[in-house]
Amino acid sequence: MKEVPDKLKDKVKIVSGSLSKILEEINREGYVRLYIDGGKTIQSFLKEDLIDELTITTVPLLLGSGIPLFSDLPKPLLFNAISSKILLGKIVQSVFVRDRS
């Protein structure tokens, strides 16, 4: 995508560059809590150890294909579970924070 559609111009911004440079720019604009989604995007952030908190929602429906949430990492990343809840009697949502100690 090269240009934001007119109806989204006040809601969406196209960025490019290294993840660390993009995050620096976004943080300078005052954004510190970001929602990162999509298998490949999440994998890229995890490979650079740029995720501080994970919210993983498990829906009990097996699709049989798709982009995995996780892939090979240069080193193990330790997260601590801080909460888990059941939604609608089926869906499990768990929150984990990065242990950087």
Side-chain angles (χ1 to χ4, degrees), residues 20-74:
S20 57
K21 292 290 183 190
I22 291 169
L23 287 177
E24 282 177 26
E25 180 183 331
I26 290 170
N27 291 156
R28 268 196 312 273
E29 292 176 8
Y31 300 102
V32 293
R33 289 187 56 89
L34 306 174
Y35 176 79
I36 309 300
D37 201 357
K40 291 289 187 190
T41 304
I42 292 168
Q43 289 173 22
S44 297
F45 276 79
L46 286 170
K47 280 182 182 170
E48 294 193 32
D49 198 4
L50 295 172
I51 301 287
D52 295 319
E53 182 178 301
L54 286 170
T55 299
I56 299 177
T57 305
T58 305
V59 179
L61 171 66
L62 301 179
L63 299 176
S65 65
I67 298 171
L69 183 58
F70 305 111
S71 65
D72 293 334
L73 295 170

